[in-house]
Amino acid sequence: MNNYTTQSDFTLVGFFSQSKYPALLAVVIFVVFLMALSGNALLILLILSDTHLHTPMYFFISQLSLMDMMYISVTVPKMLMDQVLGSHKISAAACGMQMFLYLTLAGSEYLLLAAMSYDRYVAICHPLRYPVLMNHRVCLLLMSVCWILGSLDGFMLTPITMTFPFCGSREIHHFFCEVPAVTKLSCSDTWLYETLMYVCCVLMLLIPVTVISGSYTSILLTVLRMNSAEGRKKALATCSSHMTVVTLFYGAAVYTYIFPASLHTPEKDMVVSVFYTILTPLLNPLIYSFRNKNVTEAMKKLLGVKPFFQESLKEVIYKE
């Protein structure tokens, strides 16, 4: 404790320092950031503007896009500004705010993916009861629970992490204030806190994974019993999109918060974090739009593609 420092700023080392071409890497991340923002914003716009997409599934997808836009905006702008300005400092208050936001959004997204799997389970396994079981009120209730429980995760872990005494170096070997990376800087005994955080994260991941596994097992069994090949194809296409997102997001989270510390290195942690903070927000709109017929039809309507071809066809017929 003799080395305890009152300095309030941390230094984010980031992964640009590990790259031979940091400027090129910054440009790539900036392009990915813009694509993620525009893709998710477009998906939300399509869902809001097309009445055919005013269903529970697309309501949850719009919320997922909103979370992804906020999620990537919590980490990437700061990281890019640090590279451009050459300053990697972040105040304790800003670090705590960044930590709270990413914990809240990540926790909410874990639960939202479980709610989306339940929605698909009801739609495929109980289609006749779907309008009752997934009415507007139920959707709002599920969405509220996701946001509230996610924020509890942030309110619980952030204050404890940021009140630890930090000694010596205040260099965070990460590109944002992630809990494990900040906790490593503490000069106090954090064993009990890390154990409690481990239990909390296991529960936050185990409960949604259980819901998702149960839902998709039931869906798979129902799909295999379907007589309609078209119905099987549509159900599997929808579910495979969802499972791609779940695998990417949960896989990275399990490595970060559940795998033992002996398997972690700062470099590995940063690479894995890129998957759920940068790549997942980029991939979500691509997975849910280009593989979804309803969304592509809504996009054509928004861009006026269909009316244009219809008018052209009418002109050709009229001339003939």
Side-chain angles (χ1 to χ4, degrees):
M1 294 294 292
N2 293 331
N3 292 328
Y4 175 74
T5 175
T6 58
Q7 183 182 358
S8 61
D9 289 346
F10 294 95
T11 300
L12 292 170
V13 175
F15 58 77
F16 288 118
S17 59
Q18 310 293 326
S19 174
K20 294 182 180 179
Y21 308 100
L24 177 61
L25 182 59
V27 171
V28 171
I29 292 176
F30 179 65
V31 172
V32 170
F33 173 67
L34 292 180
M35 290 175 63
L37 284 184
S38 57
N40 283 290
L42 177 61
L43 191 53
I44 293 173
L45 177 62
L46 291 173
I47 293 171
L48 290 176
S49 62
D50 195 311
T51 55
H52 294 94
L53 301 182
H54 292 177
T55 64
M57 183 179 80
Y58 295 108
F59 168 72
F60 289 132
I61 290 175
S62 68
Q63 290 296 304
L64 180 65
S65 291
L66 176 62
M67 288 180 183
D68 283 339
M69 290 177 66
M70 297 171 66
Y71 199 43
I72 197 171
S73 299
V74 168
T75 57
V76 173
K78 168 64 178 171
M79 177 175 58
L80 293 175
M81 288 300 297
D82 286 348
Q83 178 62 22
V84 171
L85 300 177
S87 173
H88 299 273
K89 299 290 184 181
I90 183 170
S91 67
C95 185
M97 181 58 67
Q98 189 181 61
M99 185 182 296
F100 169 77
L101 289 174
Y102 101 80
L103 284 172
T104 297
L105 292 165
S108 300
E109 191 157 333
Y110 296 147
L111 298 169
L112 175 59
L113 292 174
M116 292 172 70
S117 70
Y118 173 73
D119 170 71
R120 292 299 83 208
Y121 160 74
V122 176
I124 295 172
C125 300
H126 303 283
L128 298 179
R129 299 174 62 192
Y130 183 73
V132 177
L133 294 176
M134 293 301 297
N135 58 48
H136 184 66
R137 185 176 179 181
V138 172
C139 292
L140 290 178
L141 178 62
L142 287 173
M143 200 64 249
S144 300
V145 169
C146 292
W147 281 107
I148 291 171
L149 293 182
S151 63
L152 287 178
D153 195 28
F155 278 120
M156 183 172 58
L157 296 180
T158 304
I160 300 175
T161 305
M162 296 307 296
T163 51
F164 280 126
F166 299 101
C167 311
S169 173
R170 295 173 73 92
E171 288 188 347
I172 302 173
H173 291 274
H174 216 299
F175 58 89
F176 69 101
C177 291
E178 193 169 40
V179 172
V182 176
T183 305
K184 289 178 182 178
L185 303 181
S186 176
C187 54
S188 61
D189 184 9
T190 60
W191 177 83
L192 179 59
Y193 171 62
E194 289 177 356
T195 303
L196 292 174
M197 182 174 64
Y198 178 83
V199 172
C200 175
C201 292
V202 167
L203 291 175
M204 282 292 291
L205 293 172
L206 182 61
I207 295 174
V209 166
T210 302
V211 173
I212 291 170
S213 302
S215 297
Y216 282 104
T217 300
S218 299
I219 289 171
L220 183 60
L221 294 174
T222 302
V223 167
L224 292 176
R225 291 195 297 265
M226 284 183 177
N227 295 323
S228 169
E230 183 66 25
R232 284 199 301 269
K233 183 179 178 181
K234 184 177 180 180
L236 289 174
T238 302
C239 296
S240 63
S241 299
H242 189 192
M243 286 307 298
T244 303
V245 175
V246 167
T247 302
L248 285 173
F249 200 67
Y250 278 87
V254 167
Y255 169 83
T256 302
Y257 291 99
I258 295 181
F259 276 25
S262 58
L263 298 178
H264 288 255
T265 64
E267 291 76 19
K268 286 182 181 178
D269 290 347
M270 283 189 282
V271 171
V272 171
S273 295
V274 167
F275 277 94
Y276 67 87
T277 58
I278 299 176
L279 292 183
T280 301
L282 172 67
L283 293 176
N284 280 349
L286 298 177
I287 291 170
Y288 284 114
S289 59
F290 291 111
R291 297 190 61 185
N292 189 297
K293 183 180 178 181
N294 293 331
V295 174
T296 53
E297 288 296 325
M299 189 178 299
K300 289 177 183 179
K301 290 180 182 179
L302 183 67
L303 298 175
V305 173
K306 189 173 180 180
F308 172 77
F309 284 114
Q310 287 178 341
E311 290 298 326
S312 300
L313 183 61
K314 287 179 181 179
E315 289 182 7
V316 171
I317 294 174
Y318 178 76
K319 288 178 181 179
E320 290 180 354

